[in-house]
Amino acid sequence: MIIGNRNFKDTEGPYIMGILNVTPDSFSDGGLHNKLDDALTKAEKMINEGADMIDVGGESTRPGYTLISDAEEIERVCPVIEGIKSRFDIPVSLDTYKSGVAKAGIKAGCDLINDIWGLKWDGTMADVIAKYNIACCLMHNRKNTDYVNFLQDVITDLDETMEMAEQAGINKDKIMVDPGIGFAKDCSQNLQMMNHLELLKKWNVPILLGTSRKSMIGLTLDLPVTEREEGTIATSVIGLMKGCLYFRVHNVKANYRAVKMAEAILKS
C-alpha cells in the first residue's frame, strides 16, 4: 500500500501509527499538544521511538465529544500537518470524517484520510478521497447499537462502506479497514470483536487496530486512562496474531517493541 512516498508492504509490517491529538479535550492526551512546537516535539519523539506514520486529529471523538466547525478543525490540524511534512520524512494521516477538513488536510500535505465513520457521515467524503487518489482508513461505526447478530452486522456495515468506496472510484489498494473498537460497541462487544478480528480479512485489504487506552481496557482491568498501557500492549499483540498490520497507539515505544517481538516469534 503506497502512503505518501512510502510503500508499506504487507510482508514487512507490523507498522505503528503514532497518535497526535491537537485537541483540548481528547480522553487521553487532550491539551498536551495544542501548540505547534509541542506537537512537533511529540511527533519527533514518536518518530524516534519507531512510528511509521503520524495520525493528526483535531477533534476529540471520545464518547460524548463536542462537534466543532470545519474551520476550527482545519485551523488546528493544517499547521501541524505542514510542520511535520516540512521537518520530517514520514507519512501523515489526518483523523477526520468531514470532507471539507479532508480537502484542506490533503492540500496541507497529509497522505491518508482516517475516517471514523467509514464514509457514512459525510456524503462527499468518498468522492474527495477518490478525486485526490489518497490512501484511506475506513472504520466501522454506526449511530445505534441495535445489533441482531453483532459480528455479522459489523461485517455487513463494512460491506456497505466498501461498496460506497467502490462506487466512488476509490482504488482498493488505497484502503485499509478498522474494526472500530470503542465505537458503537459495549465492552463485551469490543472484546468479541477483538477475538474475531480475522473476519476483517474478508476484503483482502490491510487491517488497522486502534485500541490504545480505550474504555474496553479500563473496564476489563478496572483502571483509569493513565494506567492502560499493559492492556493496550496485550491488544496489539492479539491484533497482530489475528492479522492486523497497522497499530494506532499513544505509546509508540512500548507497542513497537511488543509487536516486533511477537512478529519475530510468529515468523520463526
Side-chain angles (χ1 to χ4, degrees):
M1 185 174 187
I2 305 294
I3 305 175
N5 63 1
R6 181 171 175 188
N7 185 3
F8 288 82
K9 297 180 180 179
D10 293 356
T11 55
E12 294 182 5
Y15 301 109
I16 300 293
M17 176 187 281
I19 299 170
L20 182 58
N21 286 321
V22 287
T23 60
D25 57 344
S26 288
F27 79 97
S28 174
D29 54 0
L32 295 181
H33 314 119
N34 283 7
K35 295 179 181 178
L36 181 58
D37 286 348
D38 293 338
L40 294 175
T41 298
K42 176 63 175 177
E44 184 174 27
K45 180 176 186 287
M46 292 193 290
I47 292 166
N48 291 337
E49 290 177 347
D52 299 287
M53 195 182 326
I54 304 295
D55 187 53
V56 177
E59 178 180 83
S60 172
T61 52
R62 76 193 194 287
Y65 68 95
T66 302
L67 282 166
I68 62 173
S69 68
D70 284 20
E72 185 174 358
E73 191 172 345
I74 289 166
E75 188 178 341
R76 290 178 182 180
V77 300
C78 285
V80 176
I81 294 168
E82 291 168 355
I84 294 172
K85 295 300 290 187
S86 68
R87 289 165 176 78
F88 311 110
D89 182 21
I90 190 168
V92 174
S93 162
L94 173 57
D95 183 357
T96 189
Y97 51 89
K98 303 169 186 173
S99 62
V101 179
K103 280 184 190 176
I106 292 166
K107 290 175 182 176
C110 83
D111 305 293
L112 179 145
I113 298 298
N114 183 11
D115 183 356
I116 65 162
W117 280 98
L119 307 176
K120 293 180 178 180
W121 180 277
D122 185 323
T124 59
M125 178 65 95
D127 294 330
V128 169
I129 291 169
K131 176 183 176 181
Y132 291 95
N133 194 30
I134 194 169
C136 62
C137 179
L138 306 179
M139 195 188 82
H140 174 262
N141 203 349
R142 52 158 60 190
K143 293 180 180 178
N144 63 68
T145 54
D146 302 331
Y147 298 103
V148 177
N149 181 321
F150 171 66
L151 290 172
Q152 183 54 55
D153 289 352
V154 169
I155 298 305
T156 299
D157 290 347
L158 282 171
D159 271 332
E160 294 169 359
T161 285
M162 294 298 284
E163 177 66 21
M164 291 172 69
E166 183 179 354
Q167 288 184 357
I170 300 173
N171 293 324
K172 195 174 180 182
D173 63 4
K174 292 289 187 181
I175 299 173
M176 63 176 77
V177 296
D178 180 336
I181 299 297
F183 291 83
K185 302 169 186 67
D186 63 24
C187 184
S188 174
Q189 290 165 338
N190 284 316
L191 292 170
Q192 192 178 357
M193 189 74 255
M194 277 295 309
N195 198 29
H196 295 280
L197 290 169
E198 68 278 1
L199 294 175
L200 274 68
K201 293 179 180 180
K202 171 182 178 179
W203 301 282
N204 197 30
V205 298
I207 303 167
L208 178 143
L209 183 65
T211 58
S212 189
R213 303 176 182 172
K214 286 187 175 175
S215 62
M216 171 187 71
I217 298 164
L219 291 169
T220 301
L221 301 178
D222 191 23
L223 291 173
V225 69
T226 53
E227 296 183 35
R228 298 176 186 173
E229 293 302 344
E230 300 91 343
T232 299
I233 290 166
T235 62
S236 293
V237 171
I238 291 288
L240 182 75
M241 296 174 73
K242 293 283 187 177
C244 298
L245 187 64
Y246 296 86
F247 299 85
R248 181 182 181 274
V249 297
H250 296 90
N251 188 329
V252 169
K253 182 192 287 185
N255 285 276
Y256 174 87
R257 291 176 175 177
V259 295
K260 288 294 184 182
M261 187 67 225
E263 179 72 358
I265 295 168
L266 292 173
K267 284 186 171 178
S268 67

